[in-house]
Amino acid sequence: IKLGRHRFGHGHGNTEYGIRAQLGFVFCTVQSDHGLVDIELLLGIKELDRIVLVIAEEFRTMEFLQPFVDADSRLVFAAPGKERQNSVENGLAGVADDCTLVAIHDAARPLVTRESIDKCFADAAAHDAAVLAVPCKPTIKESNDGEFVLKTLDRSKLWDIQTPQILRPQMLRDGFKNANDKGLAVTDDVSVVELMGKPVKLTVGEYTNLKLTTPEDMIIAETILRDRGERRAGGLLGWLRRLLPF
């Protein structure tokens, strides 16, 4: 992943971020090699010099991808790994040594907005690691056996974690090495930072940044897109229905 030297912003002054940074995205599919991200949105961010889509080779010639690949050389590919962290490591392997920030985003979250991305980059620039998140709305109960309630968790302390997750590349490399050395599996990227005792800033995101994992999610996503008045609603959801495994 080659990331370009630019001040990152969207309708904001450069002082909001306070750095001259190399920035970029690694997009990972989750649980399968099928996925779709809002590539059009990311390619619209001119400050990004390289965007890496982690996807199996047999899916790289899909019809919806070709126009983007042909039109913009910033979009490149990396091979997926056995687990999520392996996929991220594969994408991260190409990051330049002097890269300042790298963002990892799940392909199953195509509804992320430019505003949320900008906010998360700003927080990562200030705090070294940041993750989009929203306060947890439902009541969450813990169970040891899946049959009976053990206890009710304090909802005021719970956050629903999203992506992108943005951090210093070396911090991510060190975190993966620590997790691999200890044989630990992680389900999100900033977890490896937490395991090293480092702080991660919570960037308040939007509840509409859904992870599309069930047929019901597709109905909600289509409603959100149409409510935004986005012309791509029909095409995007059509491709998602073809690609996601349900």
PDB file of all heavy atoms in Angstrom, residues 154-171:
ATOM      1  N   ASP A 154     -23.558  -3.258  32.081  1.00  0.00           N
ATOM      2  CA  ASP A 154     -23.861  -1.835  32.207  1.00  0.00           C
ATOM      3  C   ASP A 154     -23.797  -1.193  30.822  1.00  0.00           C
ATOM      4  O   ASP A 154     -22.714  -0.952  30.282  1.00  0.00           O
ATOM      5  CB  ASP A 154     -22.847  -1.178  33.151  1.00  0.00           C
ATOM      6  CG  ASP A 154     -23.154   0.299  33.394  1.00  0.00           C
ATOM      7  OD1 ASP A 154     -24.069   0.849  32.741  1.00  0.00           O
ATOM      8  OD2 ASP A 154     -22.460   0.915  34.227  1.00  0.00           O
ATOM      9  N   ARG A 155     -24.949  -0.912  30.258  1.00  0.00           N
ATOM     10  CA  ARG A 155     -25.028  -0.400  28.895  1.00  0.00           C
ATOM     11  C   ARG A 155     -24.318   0.940  28.736  1.00  0.00           C
ATOM     12  O   ARG A 155     -23.805   1.251  27.653  1.00  0.00           O
ATOM     13  CB  ARG A 155     -26.492  -0.274  28.478  1.00  0.00           C
ATOM     14  CG  ARG A 155     -26.703   0.229  27.065  1.00  0.00           C
ATOM     15  CD  ARG A 155     -28.155   0.156  26.659  1.00  0.00           C
ATOM     16  NE  ARG A 155     -29.001   0.911  27.575  1.00  0.00           N
ATOM     17  CZ  ARG A 155     -30.337   0.886  27.550  1.00  0.00           C
ATOM     18  NH1 ARG A 155     -30.950   0.117  26.669  1.00  0.00           N
ATOM     19  NH2 ARG A 155     -31.032   1.598  28.393  1.00  0.00           N
ATOM     20  N   SER A 156     -24.248   1.732  29.788  1.00  0.00           N
ATOM     21  CA  SER A 156     -23.628   3.051  29.691  1.00  0.00           C
ATOM     22  C   SER A 156     -22.137   2.971  29.393  1.00  0.00           C
ATOM     23  O   SER A 156     -21.525   3.955  28.976  1.00  0.00           O
ATOM     24  CB  SER A 156     -23.850   3.833  30.992  1.00  0.00           C
ATOM     25  OG  SER A 156     -23.138   3.237  32.075  1.00  0.00           O
ATOM     26  N   LYS A 157     -21.543   1.792  29.579  1.00  0.00           N
ATOM     27  CA  LYS A 157     -20.115   1.612  29.334  1.00  0.00           C
ATOM     28  C   LYS A 157     -19.834   0.849  28.033  1.00  0.00           C
ATOM     29  O   LYS A 157     -18.671   0.617  27.683  1.00  0.00           O
ATOM     30  CB  LYS A 157     -19.474   0.855  30.491  1.00  0.00           C
ATOM     31  CG  LYS A 157     -19.545   1.577  31.829  1.00  0.00           C
ATOM     32  CD  LYS A 157     -18.888   0.746  32.916  1.00  0.00           C
ATOM     33  CE  LYS A 157     -18.948   1.464  34.262  1.00  0.00           C
ATOM     34  NZ  LYS A 157     -18.309   0.659  35.340  1.00  0.00           N
ATOM     35  N   LEU A 158     -20.892   0.477  27.303  1.00  0.00           N
ATOM     36  CA  LEU A 158     -20.728  -0.372  26.121  1.00  0.00           C
ATOM     37  C   LEU A 158     -20.820   0.443  24.831  1.00  0.00           C
ATOM     38  O   LEU A 158     -21.685   1.311  24.688  1.00  0.00           O
ATOM     39  CB  LEU A 158     -21.785  -1.475  26.105  1.00  0.00           C
ATOM     40  CG  LEU A 158     -21.776  -2.431  27.300  1.00  0.00           C
ATOM     41  CD1 LEU A 158     -22.901  -3.447  27.179  1.00  0.00           C
ATOM     42  CD2 LEU A 158     -20.429  -3.131  27.425  1.00  0.00           C
ATOM     43  N   TRP A 159     -19.930   0.103  23.891  1.00  0.00           N
ATOM     44  CA  TRP A 159     -19.897   0.755  22.587  1.00  0.00           C
ATOM     45  C   TRP A 159     -19.911  -0.303  21.499  1.00  0.00           C
ATOM     46  O   TRP A 159     -19.231  -1.322  21.604  1.00  0.00           O
ATOM     47  CB  TRP A 159     -18.647   1.623  22.452  1.00  0.00           C
ATOM     48  CG  TRP A 159     -18.709   2.872  23.271  1.00  0.00           C
ATOM     49  CD1 TRP A 159     -18.577   2.969  24.625  1.00  0.00           C
ATOM     50  CD2 TRP A 159     -18.956   4.191  22.794  1.00  0.00           C
ATOM     51  NE1 TRP A 159     -18.719   4.264  25.023  1.00  0.00           N
ATOM     52  CE2 TRP A 159     -18.950   5.036  23.923  1.00  0.00           C
ATOM     53  CE3 TRP A 159     -19.162   4.740  21.532  1.00  0.00           C
ATOM     54  CZ2 TRP A 159     -19.156   6.407  23.818  1.00  0.00           C
ATOM     55  CZ3 TRP A 159     -19.373   6.116  21.420  1.00  0.00           C
ATOM     56  CH2 TRP A 159     -19.374   6.933  22.555  1.00  0.00           C
ATOM     57  N   ASP A 160     -20.686  -0.032  20.458  1.00  0.00           N
ATOM     58  CA  ASP A 160     -20.753  -0.897  19.278  1.00  0.00           C
ATOM     59  C   ASP A 160     -19.656  -0.444  18.318  1.00  0.00           C
ATOM     60  O   ASP A 160     -19.704   0.659  17.775  1.00  0.00           O
ATOM     61  CB  ASP A 160     -22.138  -0.759  18.642  1.00  0.00           C
ATOM     62  CG  ASP A 160     -22.346  -1.716  17.478  1.00  0.00           C
ATOM     63  OD1 ASP A 160     -21.406  -2.444  17.122  1.00  0.00           O
ATOM     64  OD2 ASP A 160     -23.455  -1.710  16.918  1.00  0.00           O
ATOM     65  N   ILE A 161     -18.652  -1.295  18.115  1.00  0.00           N
ATOM     66  CA  ILE A 161     -17.481  -0.922  17.344  1.00  0.00           C
ATOM     67  C   ILE A 161     -17.713  -1.146  15.855  1.00  0.00           C
ATOM     68  O   ILE A 161     -18.236  -2.180  15.435  1.00  0.00           O
ATOM     69  CB  ILE A 161     -16.252  -1.714  17.816  1.00  0.00           C
ATOM     70  CG1 ILE A 161     -15.980  -1.419  19.287  1.00  0.00           C
ATOM     71  CG2 ILE A 161     -15.034  -1.384  16.966  1.00  0.00           C
ATOM     72  CD1 ILE A 161     -15.749   0.052  19.597  1.00  0.00           C
ATOM     73  N   GLN A 162     -17.305  -0.172  15.055  1.00  0.00           N
ATOM     74  CA  GLN A 162     -17.471  -0.219  13.608  1.00  0.00           C
ATOM     75  C   GLN A 162     -16.100  -0.150  12.928  1.00  0.00           C
ATOM     76  O   GLN A 162     -15.064  -0.378  13.547  1.00  0.00           O
ATOM     77  CB  GLN A 162     -18.351   0.951  13.154  1.00  0.00           C
ATOM     78  CG  GLN A 162     -19.711   1.025  13.819  1.00  0.00           C
ATOM     79  CD  GLN A 162     -20.501   2.246  13.386  1.00  0.00           C
ATOM     80  OE1 GLN A 162     -19.969   3.193  12.783  1.00  0.00           O
ATOM     81  NE2 GLN A 162     -21.801   2.249  13.677  1.00  0.00           N
ATOM     82  N   THR A 163     -16.115   0.127  11.648  1.00  0.00           N
ATOM     83  CA  THR A 163     -14.909   0.458  10.904  1.00  0.00           C
ATOM     84  C   THR A 163     -15.237   1.657  10.020  1.00  0.00           C
ATOM     85  O   THR A 163     -16.411   1.895   9.737  1.00  0.00           O
ATOM     86  CB  THR A 163     -14.421  -0.719  10.011  1.00  0.00           C
ATOM     87  OG1 THR A 163     -15.385  -0.997   9.007  1.00  0.00           O
ATOM     88  CG2 THR A 163     -14.152  -1.963  10.839  1.00  0.00           C
ATOM     89  N   PRO A 164     -14.207   2.444   9.609  1.00  0.00           N
ATOM     90  CA  PRO A 164     -12.795   2.119   9.669  1.00  0.00           C
ATOM     91  C   PRO A 164     -12.198   2.233  11.062  1.00  0.00           C
ATOM     92  O   PRO A 164     -12.726   2.930  11.924  1.00  0.00           O
ATOM     93  CB  PRO A 164     -12.157   3.141   8.720  1.00  0.00           C
ATOM     94  CG  PRO A 164     -13.087   4.302   8.720  1.00  0.00           C
ATOM     95  CD  PRO A 164     -14.446   3.705   8.843  1.00  0.00           C
ATOM     96  N   GLN A 165     -11.073   1.503  11.222  1.00  0.00           N
ATOM     97  CA  GLN A 165     -10.231   1.596  12.394  1.00  0.00           C
ATOM     98  C   GLN A 165      -8.885   2.116  11.896  1.00  0.00           C
ATOM     99  O   GLN A 165      -8.299   1.544  10.984  1.00  0.00           O
ATOM    100  CB  GLN A 165     -10.105   0.236  13.070  1.00  0.00           C
ATOM    101  CG  GLN A 165     -11.483  -0.342  13.419  1.00  0.00           C
ATOM    102  CD  GLN A 165     -11.424  -1.611  14.234  1.00  0.00           C
ATOM    103  OE1 GLN A 165     -10.369  -2.037  14.693  1.00  0.00           O
ATOM    104  NE2 GLN A 165     -12.582  -2.227  14.431  1.00  0.00           N
ATOM    105  N   ILE A 166      -8.425   3.206  12.485  1.00  0.00           N
ATOM    106  CA  ILE A 166      -7.287   3.938  11.927  1.00  0.00           C
ATOM    107  C   ILE A 166      -6.192   4.074  12.976  1.00  0.00           C
ATOM    108  O   ILE A 166      -6.470   4.444  14.114  1.00  0.00           O
ATOM    109  CB  ILE A 166      -7.719   5.325  11.424  1.00  0.00           C
ATOM    110  CG1 ILE A 166      -8.898   5.194  10.443  1.00  0.00           C
ATOM    111  CG2 ILE A 166      -6.556   6.061  10.780  1.00  0.00           C
ATOM    112  CD1 ILE A 166      -9.471   6.515   9.965  1.00  0.00           C
ATOM    113  N   LEU A 167      -4.959   3.777  12.573  1.00  0.00           N
ATOM    114  CA  LEU A 167      -3.861   3.816  13.531  1.00  0.00           C
ATOM    115  C   LEU A 167      -2.517   3.939  12.842  1.00  0.00           C
ATOM    116  O   LEU A 167      -2.416   3.888  11.622  1.00  0.00           O
ATOM    117  CB  LEU A 167      -3.891   2.582  14.427  1.00  0.00           C
ATOM    118  CG  LEU A 167      -3.810   1.195  13.798  1.00  0.00           C
ATOM    119  CD1 LEU A 167      -3.482   0.153  14.868  1.00  0.00           C
ATOM    120  CD2 LEU A 167      -5.123   0.792  13.135  1.00  0.00           C
ATOM    121  N   ARG A 168      -1.483   4.117  13.667  1.00  0.00           N
ATOM    122  CA  ARG A 168      -0.125   4.168  13.151  1.00  0.00           C
ATOM    123  C   ARG A 168       0.265   2.778  12.654  1.00  0.00           C
ATOM    124  O   ARG A 168       0.082   1.790  13.380  1.00  0.00           O
ATOM    125  CB  ARG A 168       0.850   4.610  14.236  1.00  0.00           C
ATOM    126  CG  ARG A 168       0.496   5.914  14.934  1.00  0.00           C
ATOM    127  CD  ARG A 168       0.625   7.101  14.026  1.00  0.00           C
ATOM    128  NE  ARG A 168       0.293   8.344  14.728  1.00  0.00           N
ATOM    129  CZ  ARG A 168       0.200   9.533  14.145  1.00  0.00           C
ATOM    130  NH1 ARG A 168       0.407   9.631  12.843  1.00  0.00           N
ATOM    131  NH2 ARG A 168      -0.097  10.608  14.838  1.00  0.00           N
ATOM    132  N   PRO A 169       0.810   2.675  11.445  1.00  0.00           N
ATOM    133  CA  PRO A 169       1.144   1.357  10.903  1.00  0.00           C
ATOM    134  C   PRO A 169       2.088   0.533  11.782  1.00  0.00           C
ATOM    135  O   PRO A 169       1.877  -0.657  11.946  1.00  0.00           O
ATOM    136  CB  PRO A 169       1.783   1.690   9.552  1.00  0.00           C
ATOM    137  CG  PRO A 169       1.190   2.992   9.175  1.00  0.00           C
ATOM    138  CD  PRO A 169       1.022   3.742  10.456  1.00  0.00           C
ATOM    139  N   GLN A 170       3.112   1.178  12.360  1.00  0.00           N
ATOM    140  CA  GLN A 170       4.045   0.416  13.181  1.00  0.00           C
ATOM    141  C   GLN A 170       3.365  -0.112  14.435  1.00  0.00           C
ATOM    142  O   GLN A 170       3.685  -1.201  14.914  1.00  0.00           O
ATOM    143  CB  GLN A 170       5.262   1.269  13.553  1.00  0.00           C
ATOM    144  CG  GLN A 170       6.394   0.463  14.175  1.00  0.00           C
ATOM    145  CD  GLN A 170       6.848  -0.671  13.267  1.00  0.00           C
ATOM    146  OE1 GLN A 170       7.114  -0.459  12.079  1.00  0.00           O
ATOM    147  NE2 GLN A 170       6.943  -1.882  13.808  1.00  0.00           N
ATOM    148  N   MET A 171       2.423   0.649  14.957  1.00  0.00           N
ATOM    149  CA  MET A 171       1.656   0.187  16.105  1.00  0.00           C
ATOM    150  C   MET A 171       0.871  -1.080  15.747  1.00  0.00           C
ATOM    151  O   MET A 171       0.804  -2.029  16.536  1.00  0.00           O
ATOM    152  CB  MET A 171       0.697   1.293  16.568  1.00  0.00           C
ATOM    153  CG  MET A 171      -0.134   0.953  17.785  1.00  0.00           C
ATOM    154  SD  MET A 171      -1.276   2.300  18.202  1.00  0.00           S
ATOM    155  CE  MET A 171      -0.123   3.526  18.815  1.00  0.00           C
TER     156      MET A 171
END
